[in-house]
Short mmCIF file of all heavy atoms in Angstrom, two decimals:
data_model
loop_
_atom_site.label_atom_id
_atom_site.label_comp_id
_atom_site.label_asym_id
_atom_site.label_seq_id
_atom_site.Cartn_x
_atom_site.Cartn_y
_atom_site.Cartn_z
N MET A 1 -84.95 125.07 -115.76
CA MET A 1 -86.17 124.40 -115.20
C MET A 1 -86.22 124.80 -113.70
O MET A 1 -85.16 124.72 -112.98
CB MET A 1 -86.12 122.99 -115.36
CG MET A 1 -87.33 122.19 -114.93
SD MET A 1 -87.26 120.47 -115.15
CE MET A 1 -86.55 120.02 -113.70
N THR A 2 -87.33 125.26 -113.21
CA THR A 2 -87.46 125.65 -111.89
C THR A 2 -87.92 124.44 -111.05
O THR A 2 -88.85 123.70 -111.40
CB THR A 2 -88.59 126.65 -111.68
OG1 THR A 2 -88.25 127.78 -112.50
CG2 THR A 2 -88.68 127.24 -110.27
N VAL A 3 -87.22 124.21 -109.96
CA VAL A 3 -87.51 123.14 -109.02
C VAL A 3 -88.68 123.49 -108.21
O VAL A 3 -88.67 124.51 -107.58
CB VAL A 3 -86.31 122.58 -108.19
CG1 VAL A 3 -86.68 121.53 -107.17
CG2 VAL A 3 -85.18 122.18 -109.12
N LYS A 4 -89.72 122.61 -108.02
CA LYS A 4 -90.79 122.95 -107.19
C LYS A 4 -90.50 122.61 -105.70
O LYS A 4 -89.66 121.66 -105.50
CB LYS A 4 -92.05 122.16 -107.53
CG LYS A 4 -92.69 122.67 -108.87
CD LYS A 4 -94.07 122.00 -109.12
CE LYS A 4 -94.72 122.60 -110.35
NZ LYS A 4 -96.04 122.00 -110.56
N LYS A 5 -90.89 123.46 -104.88
CA LYS A 5 -90.59 123.26 -103.39
C LYS A 5 -91.78 122.98 -102.69
O LYS A 5 -92.94 123.41 -102.92
CB LYS A 5 -89.99 124.51 -102.90
CG LYS A 5 -88.69 125.03 -103.63
CD LYS A 5 -87.53 124.29 -103.21
CE LYS A 5 -86.32 124.84 -104.02
NZ LYS A 5 -85.03 124.32 -103.37
N ALA A 6 -91.69 122.29 -101.47
CA ALA A 6 -92.78 121.97 -100.66
C ALA A 6 -93.22 123.24 -99.87
O ALA A 6 -92.33 124.06 -99.44
CB ALA A 6 -92.38 120.73 -99.74
N SER A 7 -94.48 123.33 -99.64
CA SER A 7 -94.94 124.42 -98.64
C SER A 7 -96.10 123.84 -97.83
O SER A 7 -96.83 122.97 -98.27
CB SER A 7 -95.33 125.71 -99.37
OG SER A 7 -96.43 125.44 -100.23
N VAL A 8 -96.16 124.36 -96.61
CA VAL A 8 -97.17 123.93 -95.70
C VAL A 8 -98.35 124.86 -95.66
O VAL A 8 -98.10 126.10 -95.32
CB VAL A 8 -96.53 123.75 -94.30
CG1 VAL A 8 -97.62 123.31 -93.24
CG2 VAL A 8 -95.36 122.73 -94.33
N ASN A 9 -99.49 124.31 -95.68
CA ASN A 9 -100.73 125.11 -95.38
C ASN A 9 -101.01 125.11 -93.88
O ASN A 9 -101.32 124.08 -93.32
CB ASN A 9 -101.92 124.53 -96.07
CG ASN A 9 -103.13 125.34 -95.86
OD1 ASN A 9 -103.31 126.04 -94.80
ND2 ASN A 9 -104.15 125.28 -96.84
N LYS A 10 -100.56 126.21 -93.15
CA LYS A 10 -100.53 126.09 -91.72
C LYS A 10 -101.86 125.88 -91.17
O LYS A 10 -101.92 125.33 -89.97
CB LYS A 10 -99.92 127.42 -91.29
CG LYS A 10 -98.49 127.49 -91.62
CD LYS A 10 -97.74 128.60 -91.10
CE LYS A 10 -96.41 128.66 -91.56
NZ LYS A 10 -95.15 128.84 -91.38
N SER A 11 -102.86 126.33 -91.78
CA SER A 11 -104.26 126.09 -91.14
C SER A 11 -104.58 124.58 -91.21
O SER A 11 -105.60 124.31 -90.57
CB SER A 11 -105.25 126.98 -91.93
OG SER A 11 -105.41 126.49 -93.31
N MET A 12 -103.95 123.74 -92.02
CA MET A 12 -104.29 122.34 -92.08
C MET A 12 -103.37 121.44 -91.22
O MET A 12 -103.68 120.38 -91.01
CB MET A 12 -104.23 121.88 -93.54
CG MET A 12 -105.32 122.52 -94.39
SD MET A 12 -105.16 122.23 -96.13
CE MET A 12 -105.59 120.58 -96.33
N CYS A 13 -102.17 122.15 -90.85
CA CYS A 13 -101.20 121.43 -90.03
C CYS A 13 -101.71 121.21 -88.64
O CYS A 13 -101.96 122.23 -87.96
CB CYS A 13 -99.93 121.99 -90.07
SG CYS A 13 -98.60 121.36 -89.02
N ASP A 14 -101.62 119.89 -88.00
CA ASP A 14 -102.05 119.87 -86.63
C ASP A 14 -100.99 119.88 -85.67
O ASP A 14 -101.09 119.73 -84.45
CB ASP A 14 -102.92 118.52 -86.41
CG ASP A 14 -102.11 117.24 -86.51
OD1 ASP A 14 -100.92 117.42 -86.82
OD2 ASP A 14 -102.54 116.31 -86.01
N GLY A 15 -99.71 120.09 -86.15
CA GLY A 15 -98.54 120.23 -85.30
C GLY A 15 -98.21 119.00 -84.46
O GLY A 15 -97.67 119.17 -83.38
N SER A 16 -98.52 117.87 -84.97
CA SER A 16 -98.18 116.60 -84.32
C SER A 16 -96.80 116.48 -83.95
O SER A 16 -95.95 116.67 -84.69
CB SER A 16 -98.65 115.40 -85.14
OG SER A 16 -98.17 114.25 -84.49
N PRO A 17 -96.46 116.01 -82.77
CA PRO A 17 -95.08 115.75 -82.26
C PRO A 17 -94.54 114.49 -83.00
O PRO A 17 -93.34 114.29 -82.99
CB PRO A 17 -95.16 115.48 -80.84
CG PRO A 17 -96.62 115.12 -80.56
CD PRO A 17 -97.45 115.84 -81.57
N VAL A 18 -95.37 113.75 -83.70
CA VAL A 18 -94.93 112.57 -84.49
C VAL A 18 -95.11 112.78 -85.94
O VAL A 18 -95.44 111.87 -86.69
CB VAL A 18 -95.45 111.29 -84.00
CG1 VAL A 18 -94.95 110.83 -82.63
CG2 VAL A 18 -97.00 111.26 -84.02
N CYS A 19 -94.88 113.97 -86.44
CA CYS A 19 -95.20 114.41 -87.76
C CYS A 19 -94.51 113.43 -88.85
O CYS A 19 -93.25 113.47 -88.89
CB CYS A 19 -94.74 115.79 -88.08
SG CYS A 19 -94.70 116.33 -89.79
N PRO A 20 -95.15 112.65 -89.55
CA PRO A 20 -94.56 111.65 -90.53
C PRO A 20 -93.86 112.43 -91.65
O PRO A 20 -92.79 111.81 -92.12
CB PRO A 20 -95.71 110.82 -91.03
CG PRO A 20 -96.94 111.57 -90.64
CD PRO A 20 -96.71 112.51 -89.51
N ALA A 21 -94.32 113.53 -92.04
CA ALA A 21 -93.74 114.27 -93.17
C ALA A 21 -92.21 114.80 -92.73
O ALA A 21 -91.36 114.66 -93.55
CB ALA A 21 -94.61 115.48 -93.58
N LYS A 22 -92.20 115.15 -91.51
CA LYS A 22 -90.78 115.62 -91.06
C LYS A 22 -89.86 114.44 -90.96
O LYS A 22 -88.84 114.56 -91.33
CB LYS A 22 -91.14 116.24 -89.66
CG LYS A 22 -89.76 116.67 -88.98
CD LYS A 22 -90.15 117.16 -87.64
CE LYS A 22 -88.84 117.39 -86.84
NZ LYS A 22 -89.24 117.97 -85.44
N ARG A 23 -90.48 113.39 -90.49
CA ARG A 23 -89.48 112.18 -90.38
C ARG A 23 -89.09 111.60 -91.70
O ARG A 23 -87.91 111.09 -91.81
CB ARG A 23 -90.33 111.03 -89.54
CG ARG A 23 -90.53 111.39 -88.21
CD ARG A 23 -91.42 110.39 -87.52
NE ARG A 23 -91.59 110.70 -86.14
CZ ARG A 23 -91.28 109.92 -85.11
NH1 ARG A 23 -91.04 108.57 -85.29
NH2 ARG A 23 -91.48 110.26 -83.90
N VAL A 24 -89.89 111.73 -92.78
CA VAL A 24 -89.66 111.12 -94.01
C VAL A 24 -88.70 112.03 -94.92
O VAL A 24 -88.01 111.52 -95.85
CB VAL A 24 -90.96 110.70 -94.79
CG1 VAL A 24 -91.50 111.95 -95.44
CG2 VAL A 24 -90.60 109.56 -95.75
N CYS A 25 -88.59 113.26 -94.59
CA CYS A 25 -87.80 114.24 -95.35
C CYS A 25 -86.29 113.79 -95.44
O CYS A 25 -85.77 113.83 -94.35
CB CYS A 25 -87.96 115.62 -95.04
SG CYS A 25 -86.91 116.69 -95.96
N PRO A 26 -85.74 113.49 -96.58
CA PRO A 26 -84.29 112.98 -96.62
C PRO A 26 -83.38 114.15 -96.41
O PRO A 26 -82.26 113.94 -96.14
CB PRO A 26 -84.22 112.40 -97.99
CG PRO A 26 -85.33 113.07 -98.84
CD PRO A 26 -86.50 113.34 -97.85
N GLN A 27 -83.93 115.42 -96.52
CA GLN A 27 -82.90 116.52 -96.39
C GLN A 27 -83.14 117.20 -95.01
O GLN A 27 -82.46 118.17 -94.76
CB GLN A 27 -83.36 117.66 -97.47
CG GLN A 27 -83.32 117.05 -98.95
CD GLN A 27 -81.99 116.65 -99.35
OE1 GLN A 27 -80.97 117.20 -98.92
NE2 GLN A 27 -81.91 115.52 -100.04
N LYS A 28 -84.02 116.73 -94.15
CA LYS A 28 -84.24 117.26 -92.88
C LYS A 28 -84.63 118.72 -93.08
O LYS A 28 -84.19 119.70 -92.41
CB LYS A 28 -83.04 117.25 -92.02
CG LYS A 28 -82.48 115.88 -91.81
CD LYS A 28 -83.35 115.12 -90.78
CE LYS A 28 -82.78 113.67 -90.51
NZ LYS A 28 -83.63 112.55 -90.89
N ALA A 29 -85.49 119.01 -94.01
CA ALA A 29 -85.87 120.35 -94.51
C ALA A 29 -87.17 120.75 -93.72
O ALA A 29 -87.51 121.96 -93.77
CB ALA A 29 -86.10 120.44 -95.98
N ILE A 30 -87.77 119.86 -92.88
CA ILE A 30 -89.06 120.21 -92.32
C ILE A 30 -88.66 120.36 -90.75
O ILE A 30 -88.16 119.38 -90.12
CB ILE A 30 -90.07 119.16 -92.55
CG1 ILE A 30 -90.39 119.18 -93.98
CG2 ILE A 30 -91.41 119.61 -91.66
CD1 ILE A 30 -91.41 118.14 -94.39
N THR A 31 -89.08 121.46 -90.10
CA THR A 31 -88.90 121.63 -88.75
C THR A 31 -90.16 121.98 -88.23
O THR A 31 -91.13 122.42 -89.08
CB THR A 31 -87.91 122.81 -88.52
OG1 THR A 31 -88.37 123.99 -89.22
CG2 THR A 31 -86.57 122.39 -88.98
N GLN A 32 -90.38 122.10 -86.92
CA GLN A 32 -91.63 122.45 -86.33
C GLN A 32 -91.41 123.53 -85.33
O GLN A 32 -90.57 123.45 -84.51
CB GLN A 32 -92.29 121.26 -85.72
CG GLN A 32 -92.82 120.25 -86.64
CD GLN A 32 -93.48 118.99 -85.96
OE1 GLN A 32 -92.75 118.17 -85.60
NE2 GLN A 32 -94.78 118.95 -85.86
N LYS A 33 -92.21 124.55 -85.41
CA LYS A 33 -92.19 125.72 -84.52
C LYS A 33 -93.07 125.55 -83.38
O LYS A 33 -94.25 125.44 -83.53
CB LYS A 33 -92.51 126.93 -85.33
CG LYS A 33 -92.07 128.22 -84.72
CD LYS A 33 -92.34 129.39 -85.71
CE LYS A 33 -91.62 130.64 -85.30
NZ LYS A 33 -91.68 131.62 -86.27
N SER A 34 -92.52 125.55 -82.20
CA SER A 34 -93.35 125.28 -80.96
C SER A 34 -94.23 126.47 -80.75
O SER A 34 -93.97 127.64 -81.07
CB SER A 34 -92.44 125.15 -79.70
OG SER A 34 -93.11 125.21 -78.57
N SER A 35 -95.47 126.17 -80.31
CA SER A 35 -96.42 127.10 -80.05
C SER A 35 -96.13 127.89 -78.68
O SER A 35 -96.64 128.90 -78.34
CB SER A 35 -97.89 126.60 -79.93
OG SER A 35 -97.92 125.72 -78.78
N GLY A 36 -95.27 127.15 -77.92
CA GLY A 36 -94.84 127.86 -76.62
C GLY A 36 -95.79 127.40 -75.51
O GLY A 36 -95.54 127.63 -74.36
N GLY A 37 -96.82 126.67 -75.79
CA GLY A 37 -97.88 126.18 -74.86
C GLY A 37 -97.26 124.96 -74.08
O GLY A 37 -96.29 124.41 -74.38
N PHE A 38 -97.99 124.68 -72.97
CA PHE A 38 -97.56 123.57 -72.09
C PHE A 38 -97.47 122.26 -72.77
O PHE A 38 -96.40 121.56 -72.67
CB PHE A 38 -98.62 123.46 -71.02
CG PHE A 38 -98.33 122.23 -70.00
CD1 PHE A 38 -97.32 122.34 -69.24
CD2 PHE A 38 -99.19 121.18 -70.20
CE1 PHE A 38 -97.04 121.33 -68.32
CE2 PHE A 38 -98.98 120.12 -69.28
CZ PHE A 38 -97.93 120.08 -68.36
N LEU A 39 -98.38 121.91 -73.57
CA LEU A 39 -98.37 120.56 -74.43
C LEU A 39 -97.20 120.53 -75.35
O LEU A 39 -96.53 119.58 -75.51
CB LEU A 39 -99.71 120.25 -75.04
CG LEU A 39 -100.84 119.94 -74.10
CD1 LEU A 39 -102.12 119.80 -74.82
CD2 LEU A 39 -100.66 118.71 -73.28
N SER A 40 -97.04 121.70 -76.05
CA SER A 40 -95.95 121.74 -76.99
C SER A 40 -94.62 121.66 -76.25
O SER A 40 -93.71 120.96 -76.84
CB SER A 40 -96.18 123.07 -77.77
OG SER A 40 -95.10 123.20 -78.80
N LYS A 41 -94.44 122.22 -75.13
CA LYS A 41 -93.21 122.12 -74.45
C LYS A 41 -92.98 120.59 -73.97
O LYS A 41 -91.80 120.27 -73.94
CB LYS A 41 -93.19 123.10 -73.26
CG LYS A 41 -92.90 124.50 -73.57
CD LYS A 41 -92.82 125.38 -72.39
CE LYS A 41 -92.71 126.83 -72.82
NZ LYS A 41 -92.99 127.75 -71.65
N LEU A 42 -94.03 120.13 -73.52
CA LEU A 42 -93.91 118.70 -72.97
C LEU A 42 -93.70 117.56 -74.03
O LEU A 42 -92.87 116.73 -73.88
CB LEU A 42 -95.31 118.40 -72.24
CG LEU A 42 -95.31 117.19 -71.23
CD1 LEU A 42 -94.33 117.41 -70.18
CD2 LEU A 42 -96.66 117.03 -70.72
N PHE A 43 -94.44 117.71 -75.17
CA PHE A 43 -94.46 116.59 -76.10
C PHE A 43 -93.65 117.06 -77.37
O PHE A 43 -93.40 116.16 -78.22
CB PHE A 43 -95.78 116.22 -76.47
CG PHE A 43 -96.60 115.54 -75.42
CD1 PHE A 43 -97.62 116.31 -74.74
CD2 PHE A 43 -96.17 114.39 -74.85
CE1 PHE A 43 -98.34 115.74 -73.68
CE2 PHE A 43 -96.91 113.87 -73.84
CZ PHE A 43 -97.97 114.45 -73.19
N GLY A 44 -93.30 118.31 -77.66
CA GLY A 44 -92.66 118.78 -78.81
C GLY A 44 -93.72 118.97 -79.85
O GLY A 44 -94.89 119.13 -79.62
N GLY A 45 -93.30 119.01 -81.04
CA GLY A 45 -94.28 119.27 -82.18
C GLY A 45 -94.44 120.76 -82.45
O GLY A 45 -93.73 121.57 -81.84
N GLY A 46 -95.37 121.15 -83.14
CA GLY A 46 -95.71 122.47 -83.50
C GLY A 46 -95.97 122.61 -85.09
O GLY A 46 -95.76 121.66 -85.75
N THR A 47 -96.30 123.71 -85.42
CA THR A 47 -96.64 123.89 -86.83
C THR A 47 -95.33 123.70 -87.67
O THR A 47 -94.36 124.19 -87.50
CB THR A 47 -97.12 125.27 -87.16
OG1 THR A 47 -98.29 125.49 -86.30
CG2 THR A 47 -97.60 125.57 -88.60
N ALA A 48 -95.55 122.81 -88.84
CA ALA A 48 -94.42 122.46 -89.62
C ALA A 48 -94.07 123.74 -90.50
O ALA A 48 -94.98 124.45 -90.99
CB ALA A 48 -94.79 121.25 -90.48
N GLU A 49 -92.78 123.69 -90.80
CA GLU A 49 -92.22 124.62 -91.69
C GLU A 49 -91.21 124.06 -92.62
O GLU A 49 -90.46 123.15 -92.17
CB GLU A 49 -91.48 125.80 -91.08
CG GLU A 49 -92.45 126.79 -90.22
CD GLU A 49 -91.69 127.78 -89.45
OE1 GLU A 49 -90.50 127.64 -89.18
OE2 GLU A 49 -92.34 128.85 -89.33
N VAL A 50 -91.17 124.37 -93.87
CA VAL A 50 -90.19 123.87 -94.86
C VAL A 50 -89.09 124.88 -95.07
O VAL A 50 -89.34 126.10 -95.42
CB VAL A 50 -90.83 123.49 -96.17
CG1 VAL A 50 -89.81 123.03 -97.21
CG2 VAL A 50 -91.86 122.43 -95.98
N ASN A 51 -87.85 124.42 -94.90
CA ASN A 51 -86.65 125.26 -95.23
C ASN A 51 -86.42 125.14 -96.76
O ASN A 51 -85.97 124.03 -97.24
CB ASN A 51 -85.48 124.77 -94.46
CG ASN A 51 -84.27 125.64 -94.77
OD1 ASN A 51 -84.05 126.15 -95.94
ND2 ASN A 51 -83.33 125.80 -93.84
N ARG A 52 -86.79 126.21 -97.53
CA ARG A 52 -86.82 126.16 -98.96
C ARG A 52 -85.35 125.92 -99.47
O ARG A 52 -85.11 125.66 -100.66
CB ARG A 52 -87.42 127.41 -99.57
CG ARG A 52 -88.91 127.34 -99.20
CD ARG A 52 -89.58 128.61 -99.72
NE ARG A 52 -89.40 128.88 -101.25
CZ ARG A 52 -90.24 128.29 -102.13
NH1 ARG A 52 -91.10 127.53 -101.79
NH2 ARG A 52 -89.97 128.50 -103.36
N LEU A 53 -84.33 126.30 -98.71
CA LEU A 53 -82.96 126.27 -99.20
C LEU A 53 -82.51 124.76 -99.15
O LEU A 53 -81.75 124.32 -99.95
CB LEU A 53 -81.99 127.06 -98.27
CG LEU A 53 -82.26 128.57 -98.36
CD1 LEU A 53 -81.36 129.26 -97.43
CD2 LEU A 53 -82.07 129.06 -99.88
N LEU A 54 -83.13 123.96 -98.14
CA LEU A 54 -82.77 122.60 -98.19
C LEU A 54 -83.60 121.65 -98.95
O LEU A 54 -83.22 120.65 -99.40
CB LEU A 54 -82.83 122.14 -96.69
CG LEU A 54 -81.87 122.76 -95.61
CD1 LEU A 54 -82.26 122.27 -94.21
CD2 LEU A 54 -80.44 122.45 -95.95
N CYS A 55 -84.89 122.17 -99.14
CA CYS A 55 -85.86 121.21 -99.92
C CYS A 55 -85.36 121.02 -101.44
O CYS A 55 -85.01 121.97 -102.05
CB CYS A 55 -87.17 121.89 -99.99
SG CYS A 55 -88.43 121.01 -100.90
N THR A 56 -85.34 119.76 -101.84
CA THR A 56 -84.92 119.42 -103.19
C THR A 56 -86.13 119.12 -104.07
O THR A 56 -86.00 118.75 -105.24
CB THR A 56 -83.98 118.18 -103.22
OG1 THR A 56 -84.68 117.10 -102.58
CG2 THR A 56 -82.69 118.60 -102.47
N GLY A 57 -87.27 119.19 -103.55
CA GLY A 57 -88.57 119.08 -104.31
C GLY A 57 -88.85 117.55 -104.60
O GLY A 57 -89.66 117.27 -105.52
N CYS A 58 -88.48 116.73 -103.75
CA CYS A 58 -88.63 115.21 -104.01
C CYS A 58 -90.22 114.80 -103.92
O CYS A 58 -90.57 113.85 -104.51
CB CYS A 58 -87.79 114.32 -103.21
SG CYS A 58 -88.31 114.37 -101.38
N GLY A 59 -90.90 115.53 -103.09
CA GLY A 59 -92.32 115.35 -103.01
C GLY A 59 -92.74 114.27 -101.90
O GLY A 59 -93.95 114.00 -101.82
N LYS A 60 -91.84 113.61 -101.32
CA LYS A 60 -92.18 112.62 -100.35
C LYS A 60 -93.09 113.17 -99.24
O LYS A 60 -93.95 112.43 -98.81
CB LYS A 60 -90.75 112.02 -99.69
CG LYS A 60 -90.13 111.01 -100.39
CD LYS A 60 -89.04 110.42 -99.49
CE LYS A 60 -88.45 109.14 -100.12
NZ LYS A 60 -87.43 108.58 -99.38
N CYS A 61 -92.75 114.25 -98.71
CA CYS A 61 -93.56 114.77 -97.56
C CYS A 61 -95.11 114.92 -97.94
O CYS A 61 -95.99 114.73 -97.12
CB CYS A 61 -93.05 116.08 -97.10
SG CYS A 61 -92.83 117.32 -98.46
N VAL A 62 -95.35 115.28 -99.23
CA VAL A 62 -96.67 115.44 -99.60
C VAL A 62 -97.53 114.14 -99.41
O VAL A 62 -98.68 114.15 -99.06
CB VAL A 62 -96.80 115.94 -101.15
CG1 VAL A 62 -98.19 115.93 -101.76
CG2 VAL A 62 -96.01 117.20 -101.43
N GLN A 63 -96.85 112.97 -99.75
CA GLN A 63 -97.47 111.68 -99.67
C GLN A 63 -97.68 111.26 -98.21
O GLN A 63 -98.67 110.57 -97.88
CB GLN A 63 -96.64 110.62 -100.41
CG GLN A 63 -96.48 110.93 -101.82
CD GLN A 63 -95.46 109.98 -102.44
OE1 GLN A 63 -95.28 108.85 -102.07
NE2 GLN A 63 -94.67 110.60 -103.35
N TYR A 64 -96.73 111.70 -97.38
CA TYR A 64 -96.93 111.28 -96.03
C TYR A 64 -97.68 112.07 -94.97
O TYR A 64 -98.03 111.69 -94.00
CB TYR A 64 -95.48 111.07 -95.40
CG TYR A 64 -94.82 109.75 -95.83
CD1 TYR A 64 -94.20 109.69 -97.14
CD2 TYR A 64 -94.83 108.68 -94.95
CE1 TYR A 64 -93.77 108.49 -97.61
CE2 TYR A 64 -94.33 107.46 -95.41
CZ TYR A 64 -93.72 107.35 -96.74
OH TYR A 64 -93.22 106.21 -97.12
N CYS A 65 -98.02 113.40 -95.34
CA CYS A 65 -98.74 114.19 -94.51
C CYS A 65 -100.15 113.67 -94.39
O CYS A 65 -100.89 113.66 -95.32
CB CYS A 65 -98.67 115.64 -94.83
SG CYS A 65 -99.85 116.69 -93.91
N PRO A 66 -100.61 113.29 -93.25
CA PRO A 66 -101.98 112.68 -93.11
C PRO A 66 -103.13 113.75 -93.24
O PRO A 66 -104.29 113.42 -93.42
CB PRO A 66 -101.93 112.06 -91.67
CG PRO A 66 -100.97 112.75 -90.93
CD PRO A 66 -99.85 113.22 -91.95
N HIS A 67 -102.76 114.94 -93.09
CA HIS A 67 -103.76 116.06 -93.19
C HIS A 67 -103.72 116.88 -94.58
O HIS A 67 -104.37 117.81 -94.70
CB HIS A 67 -103.56 117.09 -92.07
CG HIS A 67 -103.64 116.36 -90.79
ND1 HIS A 67 -104.77 115.93 -90.15
CD2 HIS A 67 -102.63 116.03 -89.89
CE1 HIS A 67 -104.52 115.36 -89.02
NE2 HIS A 67 -103.29 115.41 -88.77
N HIS A 68 -102.89 116.26 -95.54
CA HIS A 68 -102.84 116.94 -96.86
C HIS A 68 -102.45 118.40 -96.74
O HIS A 68 -102.97 119.19 -97.47
CB HIS A 68 -104.10 116.69 -97.63
CG HIS A 68 -104.42 115.21 -97.73
ND1 HIS A 68 -103.78 114.22 -98.43
CD2 HIS A 68 -105.45 114.53 -97.10
CE1 HIS A 68 -104.37 113.13 -98.25
NE2 HIS A 68 -105.31 113.30 -97.47
N ALA A 69 -101.55 118.71 -95.74
CA ALA A 69 -101.24 120.14 -95.55
C ALA A 69 -100.09 120.59 -96.27
O ALA A 69 -99.77 121.82 -96.23
CB ALA A 69 -100.90 120.31 -94.04
N ILE A 70 -99.44 119.61 -97.01
CA ILE A 70 -98.20 120.04 -97.84
C ILE A 70 -98.53 119.88 -99.27
O ILE A 70 -99.01 118.87 -99.73
CB ILE A 70 -97.00 119.20 -97.47
CG1 ILE A 70 -96.79 119.31 -95.86
CG2 ILE A 70 -95.73 119.62 -98.13
CD1 ILE A 70 -95.60 118.39 -95.34
N SER A 71 -98.08 120.92 -100.01
CA SER A 71 -98.23 120.91 -101.55
C SER A 71 -96.91 121.36 -102.10
O SER A 71 -96.07 122.05 -101.41
CB SER A 71 -99.44 121.63 -101.89
OG SER A 71 -99.26 122.99 -101.41
N MET A 72 -96.82 121.10 -103.35
CA MET A 72 -95.65 121.40 -104.09
C MET A 72 -95.96 122.75 -104.84
O MET A 72 -96.96 122.87 -105.59
CB MET A 72 -95.08 120.40 -105.12
CG MET A 72 -94.79 119.11 -104.46
SD MET A 72 -93.55 119.18 -103.09
CE MET A 72 -92.16 119.53 -104.09
N GLY A 73 -95.11 123.77 -104.81
CA GLY A 73 -95.20 125.05 -105.54
C GLY A 73 -93.94 125.54 -106.04
O GLY A 73 -92.97 124.83 -106.01
N LYS A 74 -93.93 126.71 -106.53
CA LYS A 74 -92.72 127.35 -107.01
C LYS A 74 -91.82 127.62 -105.93
O LYS A 74 -92.23 128.01 -104.83
CB LYS A 74 -93.06 128.59 -107.82
CG LYS A 74 -93.74 128.20 -109.14
CD LYS A 74 -94.07 129.55 -109.87
CE LYS A 74 -94.81 129.16 -111.22
NZ LYS A 74 -95.27 130.38 -111.82
S1 SF4 B 101 -90.31 117.83 -100.99
FE1 SF4 B 101 -88.67 116.31 -100.21
S2 SF4 B 101 -86.91 117.49 -99.62
FE2 SF4 B 101 -88.70 118.99 -99.86
S3 SF4 B 101 -89.50 119.07 -97.70
FE3 SF4 B 101 -90.64 117.46 -98.79
S4 SF4 B 101 -89.57 115.50 -98.32
FE4 SF4 B 101 -88.18 117.24 -97.85
#
């Protein structure tokens, strides 16, 4: 059986510095890549990314992303 992994639709992610999906992940599999801009440096945040090696496919992040930017796939 193949475990489904989370993936981020980057065009839907707003890069919030208080990303609830990142906070709720029990594996700490979600990180955010800074855009390098002034606001990103000041407040943190950036486009979310899922480390597929850490993701166990629990699906919590899908429920917590307010922009529905995360889905489960292969
Ligand atoms: S599916 Fe679960 S383990 Fe994977 S990134 Fe989302 S919250 Fe983390």
Side-chain angles (χ1 to χ4, degrees):
M1 190 179 87
T2 307
V3 175
K4 289 188 174 182
K5 305 280 183 167
S7 66
V8 178
N9 181 334
K10 293 184 183 217
S11 67
M12 295 168 74
C13 174
D14 75 345
S16 167
V18 292
C19 172
K22 177 182 173 183
R23 288 174 180 226
V24 79
C25 176
Q27 304 301 322
K28 305 282 184 240
I30 299 178
T31 55
Q32 289 179 280
K33 197 171 191 174
S34 169
S35 67
F38 174 73
L39 289 177
S40 186
K41 282 181 183 166
L42 194 62
F43 296 111
T47 305
E49 291 181 331
V50 175
N51 182 328
R52 293 176 60 82
L53 296 176
L54 294 176
C55 175
T56 58
C58 72
K60 273 189 172 182
C61 55
V62 176
Q63 299 165 35
Y64 279 82
C65 174
H67 302 288
H68 308 289
I70 305 177
S71 59
M72 303 302 291
K74 288 181 184 170

